[in-house]
Amino acid sequence: MLSQHVLVLNQNYEPINICSVRRAIILVFRGKAQIVEQAGQEVRSIATRFPVPSVVRLILYIRVPQKRMVLSKRNIVKRDGHQCQYCAATHATMTVDHVIPRTLGGGDTWENLVCACARCNNIKGFRSLEQAGLKLIRRPRRPNQVTFIRLMAGGVPDQRWKPYLFMD
């Protein structure tokens, strides 16, 4: 239970990180954070009881540098949710495809790489989307801080996090 994930919010309720229940309880005990959402369980010591937090908010504002995800095949597939961006297949072997092929001037960027099943990748080949007759389900984007947190946690492990991750 002490290793479960807890969402950490900045003073302005901006999601900034994920920590363990143990770390969150230490932050609350030291007066550096307050519990915003409880998980419904508690941790007991000899003298006191602590509610297990699901979401904590820091008391002081912390300036957090923008985290940069490494551009890799694994992170492209994670960003796209293991779903082909052309046919929406999820149970096929996934590859990474250049929306604008390198031969036509496309580069290796977050905005030009998408997850694609092997079948759609073969259909598209080195052609443009129009030439191959394919359409993207979602326009590829560079992941932001909230996307980074969702990927770190493997989705949204607790429904109480949704309002803070702008998912309502």
Side-chain angles (χ1 to χ4, degrees):
M1 172 175 44
L2 293 177
S3 62
Q4 292 175 349
H5 293 302
V6 175
L7 179 64
V8 180
L9 306 174
N10 215 335
Q11 184 187 26
N12 62 355
Y13 289 89
E14 174 189 11
I16 58 172
N17 206 351
I18 293 173
C19 71
S20 67
V21 168
R22 177 187 159 104
R23 177 75 177 132
I25 289 174
I26 290 170
L27 287 171
V28 171
F29 183 74
R30 289 185 173 174
K32 295 182 180 196
Q34 67 185 41
I35 298 174
V36 177
E37 300 279 346
Q38 296 180 12
Q41 301 167 315
E42 59 183 30
V43 175
R44 298 178 198 164
S45 73
I46 295 173
T48 59
R49 297 177 181 191
F50 291 101
V52 173
S54 175
V55 179
V56 296
R57 178 179 153 257
L58 297 177
I59 301 296
L60 297 174
Y61 181 82
I62 304 294
R63 187 176 174 277
V64 181
Q66 192 69 19
K67 292 185 180 177
R68 313 250 325 149
M69 282 186 67
V70 176
L71 181 64
S72 68
K73 178 180 178 180
R74 172 184 274 161
N75 286 340
I76 294 290
V77 172
K78 274 186 179 180
R79 178 200 65 189
D80 293 342
H82 299 276
Q83 180 182 42
C84 176
Q85 295 301 295
Y86 300 120
C87 71
T90 56
H91 298 293
T93 303
M94 295 297 164
T95 62
V96 172
D97 183 51
H98 289 79
V99 177
I100 301 169
R102 287 189 228 178
T103 57
L104 299 178
D108 292 336
T109 64
W110 284 104
E111 296 79 12
N112 192 45
L113 294 170
V114 293
C115 180
C117 67
R119 182 180 153 273
C120 289
N121 201 354
N122 285 334
I123 290 171
K124 184 171 173 294
F126 60 89
R127 301 178 291 174
S128 69
L129 290 174
E130 296 79 24
Q131 291 170 334
L134 295 172
K135 289 186 179 181
L136 284 171
I137 293 173
R138 275 187 303 271
R139 198 174 108 239
R141 294 187 183 144
R142 174 182 295 277
N144 60 15
Q145 184 73 13
V146 174
T147 307
F148 184 80
I149 289 172
R150 281 190 215 150
L151 293 177
M152 265 179 43
V156 182
D158 192 336
Q159 295 303 312
R160 293 180 210 65
W161 292 18
K162 282 189 171 189
Y164 306 103
L165 296 177
F166 314 109
M167 295 178 68
D168 265 353

